[in-house]
Amino acid sequence: MEMTERTPGAARAGRPRLLVGFGLLLVLLAGVLSVVASDALADQRAYAAAPACPGGSRGDSCTTTVPATVVGREDVASGKSVHHWLRLTERGSHTVQRLRMAGSGPVYGAVRAGDEVQVTYWRGEIHTVRFGAAAQESWSSPASAWRFPMGSALALLPFGLSMLWAGCWFRRSSAAAVSMAPWQVSTWFMAGATLGCVGFVASMTAGGPRDALLVTAVGMVPSATVGGLFAGWLRRREKRAADTSGILPVLTAERQTVDAAVHGDVSYSVDGFDYLVVGDGPVSATPDPAGRVARRALPETLTVQRLRSLRPQDPAGWYSVFGHDCVVIECRDGDHTVLIATRRRQAPVVLGALLAASTG
């Protein structure tokens, strides 16, 4: 558990650039996927508008429908999903074609070996299989090729924009916003992630691209609501963390090793000494979780001044280790200010041991 202190300036310089860089990357990727989805929609419209080829001929600008016979079906597992392959031969041909279908119905699940179907070619590939009144698209059909790229674009765009906003927020905010995760930034991330999920699901399930965009637009309201509820939860957690009035000293004769860090211009403030031993002689800092070796005793001249919650100007590593559960015990050792960070549930024992040591 390393609690290396970082300067606020370094944090201010690093985090905004990282957020802006990732945000720009996600927005750019969303733009590329939007172009891919636009091309797929253009192919969909071209396929829907393509006329039948004259005289059974084949060409890229028209469709050809021919009879075929089902030879069999194959369900191939791929990770957590299953790929559905239809094996068939055209009438008058002995060549077996293996065609991946888009889903398991309505044609794939209904046909059996020997059934007669109609297959439609466009641009040299089979895009539709018909069995009676039912029709199903192949995996390569442009009918649904727009769904995944559009869904991915709608998922990445709000998240990328929230990262850009967060980067700009950090750049114009004080060093305090860099040391601790502000609820404002977390709220936008939650709202963006929720809206991204709505957009992706809508693209994969809606009847068409307009419906997907409409559902995503309507989803902005519940997404903002989720972000607001998340903000309220974070604010309540921050208020609870700031209240240290209920923490009272507890004396213990039992030896305990607690998570704690000592910070100050004193000899017993050492990087890597991330534990305190209490209840066994003088309070000691140690890097050993068992508290048996390399112990440095805190002097009796160390006096407790007050108890408080974590502040942005405290060592940045403390927030990453303790989060909002951190309690800081402010002490004085002669002319030096000494800060001791620990967890809320361990603060009573540490406070009791420090008070007992300072009063002899």
Side-chain angles (χ1 to χ4, degrees):
M1 183 175 61
E2 184 176 354
M3 288 179 277
T4 303
E5 182 178 0
R6 297 168 295 171
T7 62
R12 281 179 59 86
R15 186 175 297 184
R17 292 174 184 172
L18 186 64
L19 289 171
V20 171
F22 274 110
L24 286 174
L25 180 62
L26 293 179
V27 171
L28 179 62
L29 185 56
V32 173
L33 289 170
S34 298
V35 174
V36 174
S38 178
D39 292 342
L41 287 170
D43 288 342
Q44 180 194 44
R45 290 189 293 267
Y47 176 53
C53 295
S57 61
R58 299 187 182 185
D60 290 343
S61 59
C62 57
T63 61
T64 302
T65 301
V66 298
T69 302
V70 176
V71 176
R73 302 181 306 175
E74 295 180 23
D75 294 327
V76 180
S78 177
K80 295 183 179 180
S81 62
V82 178
H83 296 170
H84 306 287
W85 295 85
L86 192 62
R87 292 187 292 117
L88 46 84
T89 59
E90 291 184 31
R91 183 175 297 175
S93 172
H94 298 289
T95 303
V96 177
Q97 298 189 62
R98 191 166 177 262
L99 179 67
R100 183 180 174 185
M101 303 299 292
S104 59
V107 172
Y108 181 84
V111 296
R112 298 294 184 270
D115 288 339
E116 296 293 324
V117 295
Q118 299 286 323
V119 295
T120 300
Y121 282 88
W122 183 63
R123 295 182 179 178
E125 295 185 62
I126 298 176
H127 292 295
T128 306
V129 180
R130 290 178 173 84
F131 180 60
Q136 184 180 349
E137 304 298 323
S138 70
W139 182 259
S140 61
S141 172
S144 299
W146 58 273
R147 293 186 181 276
F148 184 77
M150 176 177 284
S152 299
L154 292 176
L156 293 177
L157 182 60
F159 195 65
L161 291 176
S162 66
M163 294 189 76
L164 284 175
W165 184 89
C168 295
W169 192 90
F170 276 121
R171 285 181 65 88
R172 65 174 181 267
S173 63
S174 65
V178 181
S179 300
M180 302 172 65
W183 62 267
Q184 297 95 327
V185 174
S186 301
T187 301
W188 280 99
F189 276 132
M190 180 61 69
T194 303
L195 183 59
C197 292
V198 171
F200 185 81
V201 173
S203 297
M204 301 303 292
T205 58
R210 291 184 179 179
D211 294 339
L213 293 174
L214 178 61
V215 171
T216 304
V218 174
M220 295 176 67
V221 176
S223 298
T225 302
V226 171
L229 293 174
F230 186 66
W233 177 77
L234 287 178
R235 291 299 299 273
R236 289 192 297 272
R237 188 181 70 169
E238 290 177 1
K239 288 181 179 179
R240 288 196 301 268
D243 183 13
T244 59
S245 59
I247 299 177
L248 301 176
V250 173
L251 290 176
T252 178
E254 180 183 356
R255 180 181 177 221
Q256 298 183 36
T257 303
V258 299
D259 298 328
V262 180
H263 175 75
D265 188 16
V266 289
S267 61
Y268 45 90
S269 173
V270 183
D271 288 342
F273 281 54
D274 302 329
Y275 304 94
L276 284 181
V277 180
V278 299
D280 181 19
V283 181
S284 303
T286 176
D288 179 18
R292 296 188 179 92
V293 299
R295 293 170 55 169
R296 292 201 178 189
L298 277 60
E300 295 181 357
T301 55
L302 185 68
T303 58
V304 176
Q305 300 292 306
R306 59 172 176 160
L307 210 64
R308 62 171 174 82
S309 60
L310 189 66
R311 292 178 179 175
Q313 61 267 29
D314 291 330
W318 285 1
Y319 182 80
S320 63
V321 173
F322 300 112
H324 288 286
D325 191 42
C326 184
V327 172
V328 178
I329 304 174
E330 287 191 5
C331 305
R332 295 288 297 178
D333 187 359
D335 296 331
H336 301 291
T337 297
V338 180
L339 305 178
I340 300 176
T342 187
R343 302 188 188 279
R344 177 172 289 266
R345 66 179 181 275
Q346 297 171 332
V349 174
V350 175
L351 182 61
L354 292 173
L355 291 175
S358 63
T359 57

